[in-house]
Amino acid sequence: MNLNDWFNNGITAEQYINNMSINKEEMLAIKQHYSLKEPDAIHSLQNRHLRALVLTADWCGDAMVNLPIFMTIADQANIDARYFIRDENMELMDQFLTNGTARSIPIIVLINEDGSVHAKWGPRAKKVQHLVDESKSALPPKEHPDFEQAFKQFIQKMTVLYTTDNAIWEVIEEDMLSVFTNN
């Protein structure tokens, strides 16, 4: 199946949100409080007739923070987007692996009218990845008896940051727009 066919089989943002059972309230809160810091940056995207395929899942904390920002960009840049639950769309997911091996999400693939890839973004902004890597480096090894509890605390800390820190939202916006507009 080509990317145009995939796009035609995806669900809308509204359908994705309506079907969410995890992180829905947090994602909607971010969407409500977030606004573009650099609205002029999207002008170069508005007339390109781009569409997006978004690989995601509602359990994913990175999707929780990244998708409301992408949805705002897409709305203002006239990018029609379709959403795909990762575990139900492995054939599509495997075309866009992170580092060639990982099924990390979210992955946002912008395509042109002919279905060719314009840009691929995800699963995290580079600066957010650095923050996550730093925080994870403090965790004990996975075999350690305290790992599970420490990992839960790490997830809680990241969730608070993702849902309340406007600076993280701005970093994500900047990273997405850089990738989307520089192709």
Side-chain angles (χ1 to χ4, degrees), residues 143-162:
E143 309 78 38
H144 194 280
D146 295 336
F147 175 80
E148 190 174 324
Q149 183 61 31
F151 187 72
K152 285 179 185 178
Q153 290 172 343
F154 160 78
I155 295 295
Q156 290 170 342
K157 173 188 170 190
M158 294 309 298
T159 299
V160 169
L161 284 174
Y162 281 179

Side-chain angles (χ1 to χ4, degrees), residues 3 17 24 27 35 41 48-49 67 69 75 84 105 107 128 164 168:
L3 295 180
I17 292 168
K24 182 176 183 175
M27 191 179 98
S35 61
R48 290 190 176 180
H49 307 286
L67 294 188
I69 295 164
D75 287 345
F84 301 85
I105 52 174
I107 297 294
V128 174
T164 62
I168 286 179

Side-chain angles (χ1 to χ4, degrees), residues 16 53-57 59-68 70 83-84 86 93 96 98 103-109 120-125 162 172 176:
Y16 172 69
L53 292 86
V54 181
L55 287 149
T56 188
W59 51 260
C60 177
D62 289 305
M64 173 191 69
V65 68
N66 291 315
L67 294 188
F70 171 72
Y83 293 77
F84 301 85
R86 181 194 71 179
M93 178 74 250
F96 299 101
T98 301
R103 291 178 171 153
S104 304
I105 52 174
I107 297 294
I108 300 166
V109 180
K120 174 192 170 227
W121 185 93
R124 293 186 183 113
Y162 281 179
I172 294 167
M176 281 185 186

